[in-house]
Amino acid sequence: MRSKARECAFKIIFASFFHTQGGESFRRGVYNAFSIDEEERTYAEKLVDLVQEHQEELTAALNQYSIGFSDKRMFPVDKSILLMAMAEIRYVDDVPAAVSADEAVGLVKKYSTEKSCGFVNGILASFISGGQYK
């Protein structure tokens, strides 16, 4: 159920890197395109809000675990997915960290490059094993 919500949240987070205006109409369009229900919409909003609220902290953690590869050099798709997954791992108590990481890798497979799967998986594995969650 939450997979579509995560995909919607990813698209909104990704778009926020390029457009700071018109967010509400874009969000509605994303939700309508995915035909998600109210519960899924609420979860997607939660993820987007967590990334926005903790972006500085999450970006610092991202830079800590992506050794030698700063967030400024990352593909925006990968960065968006990583920030969302890290927020979910750290702040959503009812989702196991492994599920968040697996869902993130699934999104990377769909929207990014082949090499990005290992990159994202490695960062999230380090983030989880480093105790950077719950």
Side-chain angles (χ1 to χ4, degrees), residues 2 8 20 29 32 39 47-48 62 66 95 105 114 120:
R2 289 182 171 173
C8 289
T20 55
N32 290 337
E39 189 176 344
L47 292 176
V48 171
L62 179 57
S66 62
V95 177
V105 170
E114 192 174 310
V120 167

Side-chain angles (χ1 to χ4, degrees), residues 79-129:
K79 182 178 176 180
S80 302
I81 292 169
L82 280 162
L83 290 173
M84 181 184 70
M86 291 166 78
E88 186 174 42
I89 290 165
R90 186 173 279 177
Y91 299 109
V92 180
D93 293 331
D94 66 337
V95 177
V99 171
S100 298
D102 187 57
E103 290 281 330
V105 170
L107 286 170
V108 168
K109 286 179 181 177
K110 184 172 182 177
Y111 290 103
S112 194
T113 68
E114 192 174 310
K115 288 183 180 181
S116 291
C117 289
F119 176 72
V120 167
N121 193 42
I123 290 173
L124 292 176
S126 295
F127 182 72
I128 292 166
S129 68

Side-chain angles (χ1 to χ4, degrees), residues 17 19 33 38 51 55 67 69 71-72 81 87 92 100 107 130:
F17 289 142
H19 304 285
E38 192 58 39
V51 169
Q55 188 160 0
I67 299 167
F69 204 83
D71 70 288
K72 290 172 182 38
I81 292 169
V92 180
S100 298
L107 286 170

Side-chain angles (χ1 to χ4, degrees), residues 5-65:
R6 286 182 187 93
E7 191 166 1
C8 289
F10 150 67
K11 288 183 175 237
I12 293 164
I13 293 163
F14 175 79
S16 73
F17 289 142
F18 302 100
H19 304 285
T20 55
Q21 303 293 325
E24 279 307 310
S25 63
F26 178 76
R27 285 181 187 206
R28 280 192 304 277
V30 170
Y31 298 146
N32 290 337
F34 278 84
S35 300
I36 63 174
D37 62 29
E38 192 58 39
E39 189 176 344
E40 292 168 317
R41 182 182 301 230
T42 299
Y43 193 74
E45 286 292 321
K46 179 179 184 174
L47 292 176
V48 171
D49 291 346
L50 284 170
V51 169
Q52 289 175 343
E53 181 180 342
H54 300 283
Q55 188 160 0
E56 189 174 308
E57 169 194 341
L58 292 168
T59 301
L62 179 57
N63 284 320
Q64 176 185 349
Y65 289 100

